[in-house]
Amino acid sequence: MHTTVGIIGGGPSGLLLARLLHQAGIDSVVLESRDRAYVERRQRAGILEQATVDALRAAGAGARLDAEGLPHDGIELRHAGRATRLDFPALTGGRRVWVYAQTEVVKDLVALQLAEGGPLHFEAEATAVEGADTDRPLVRYTHGGRERILTCDYVVGCDGYHGVTRHAVPETERRTFERTYPYSWLGILAEAPPVYDELIYAHSERGFALASMRSPSVSRLYLQVPNGTDPADWPDERVWDELDARLSLTADPGWRLTRGTVTQKSVLPMRSSVTEPMRHGRVFLAGDAAHIVPPTGAKGLNLAAADVIVLARAFAHHAKTGSTELLDAYSDTCLRRVWRAEHFSYFMTTTLHTDPAQSPFDTRLQQSQLDRIAGSPHAAAELAENYTGLPLDA
């Protein structure tokens, strides 16, 4: 089997790329190692930037998002028992974000791909990418109990950090920059209405906490915990009590979260990673295959979407003009945005979390930075502009 663009990974970035290529008249094949049910229930990100929402709408995947997604015009920062709301549209010239779970984005894109797009093969595990330096790279994969080969004009790896595509870039030419944080997130999904209609980010000497949501009846909540934490050591009541303590307000000592049935509980390690370059020969890396951010800045899914939007434009330009100029610039174009998002995610993470080794001096520096955001329109605008997402050509 041969295709113009072979896409490894049927997550949101791979599916969005396939959709954008289909709209440009470029054929593709998507290989996803998991089954459809697994892909459509895989819990990940829940915040979509303005540019991601615009791209999904343009791709024809915006109907359910517009009907069921929750537009948010700000976030609330809490520290030292005080609350500060950041008004995104006022600070950014009108930009906002949406709460719409990655699971729902994937369901929308899968439905479109199966109805209108090229082949989407579930339970098709890529085992190797070969010939990156040739004009016909190939993907070896297993499907239906047999080894198969997909030849391509180009290969795009949307298969994550542990996928095979990264290894198509020779070790002598590949460099990975990484940071591991000394804490993790304990996350819960609960059948409980959110206590606030926007996200709450809280800095506390007890550790970080985040109150988020998936819908008007489902809350998504996180606590900073030590690395290696076993979720079993955190019974539900302990989780709720600690969330209340970290999110508390001096002006409203009776403030409490709405409690409900916890349906999911997991621990998420925190790390940053960037692999350069994001292209070798006719093989391109996108999303987690090229970069990982801690979730504090809500950048993971949005960075992946930005990668494939840039790449789809480059493929369309090549198909129309024969020029490889935009394809050749792909890695540099994306890495500028990636490093900006990495810095923002690092800033949010280190400002809001309590490092086990930090001193009282370090804590006061964090508090000073949060006071600056609360009191300065310029500092607040810098945070808001990065949170809602920089323009794709920035």
Side-chain angles (χ1 to χ4, degrees), residues 331-347:
S331 182
D332 289 342
T333 300
C334 288
L335 283 170
R336 286 194 296 272
R337 184 183 182 87
V338 166
W339 279 112
R340 179 85 290 279
E342 288 283 356
H343 183 270
F344 176 67
S345 298
Y346 167 83
F347 164 77

Side-chain angles (χ1 to χ4, degrees), residues 244-285:
D244 283 338
R246 297 187 191 185
L247 292 163
S248 64
L249 290 169
T250 302
D252 186 6
W255 185 94
R256 296 288 184 274
L257 288 164
T258 304
R259 301 190 179 196
T261 301
V262 175
T263 59
Q264 186 183 100
K265 191 181 298 179
S266 60
V267 171
L268 174 67
M270 308 279 283
R271 68 190 185 98
S272 301
S273 173
V274 179
T275 295
E276 298 182 359
M278 291 173 60
R279 178 203 179 173
H280 176 73
R282 292 197 170 208
V283 174
F284 298 82
L285 305 180

Side-chain angles (χ1 to χ4, degrees), residues 114-190:
L114 294 177
E116 304 174 11
L120 165 56
H121 297 299
F122 293 103
E123 299 180 90
E125 182 176 3
T127 56
V129 176
E130 301 174 6
D133 291 320
T134 72
D135 61 2
R136 184 157 289 200
L138 64 86
V139 181
R140 296 187 184 275
Y141 69 102
T142 58
H143 187 231
R146 294 175 50 197
E147 182 176 81
R148 304 170 188 266
I149 293 176
L150 174 67
T151 60
C152 318
D153 294 341
Y154 299 92
V155 175
V156 180
C158 301
D159 51 343
Y161 183 85
H162 297 291
V164 300
T165 317
R166 291 178 71 248
H167 302 288
V169 182
E171 286 189 21
T172 54
E173 299 183 25
R174 184 177 77 231
R175 188 174 183 189
T176 299
F177 304 85
E178 295 184 295
R179 169 184 282 271
T180 300
Y181 295 87
Y183 32 72
S184 300
W185 275 10
L186 172 67
I188 67 166
L189 205 62

